[in-house]
Amino acid sequence: MKQPIVNCPQCGRVIVWDPANRYRPFCSERCKMIDLGQWATESYRIPETGKQEDWEIKDEE
């Protein structure tokens, strides 16, 4: 069976998606740690889809 080929999400390097690669989907520990650091510093954000007023529960009168 042919192994899928993917790009490292951090540096873009082409790698084989192989269970033997313990850093997958990253190419190396360095890329994995850079990505973890971006999550830790909140560099990644999910865009807001609605206004905060829409989230508040309004009292029924």
Side-chain angles (χ1 to χ4, degrees):
M1 181 175 168
K2 185 177 178 183
Q3 296 288 338
I5 300 201
V6 298
N7 293 333
C8 173
Q10 189 62 42
C11 70
R13 182 185 212 178
V14 176
I15 59 170
V16 175
W17 185 271
D18 184 13
N21 177 4
R22 66 185 208 188
Y23 304 115
R24 69 182 174 169
F26 304 100
C27 65
S28 64
E29 182 178 18
R30 179 180 179 271
C31 283
K32 183 178 179 179
M33 296 308 291
I34 290 170
D35 186 71
L36 179 62
Q38 289 176 334
W39 281 107
T41 60
E42 299 181 359
S43 295
Y44 294 133
R45 301 222 178 229
I46 298 173
E48 185 178 331
T49 58
K51 295 180 182 176
Q52 187 171 0
E53 297 93 35
D54 296 339
W55 299 348
E56 296 175 3
I57 300 173
K58 297 182 180 181
D59 295 329
E60 293 183 27
E61 294 181 3

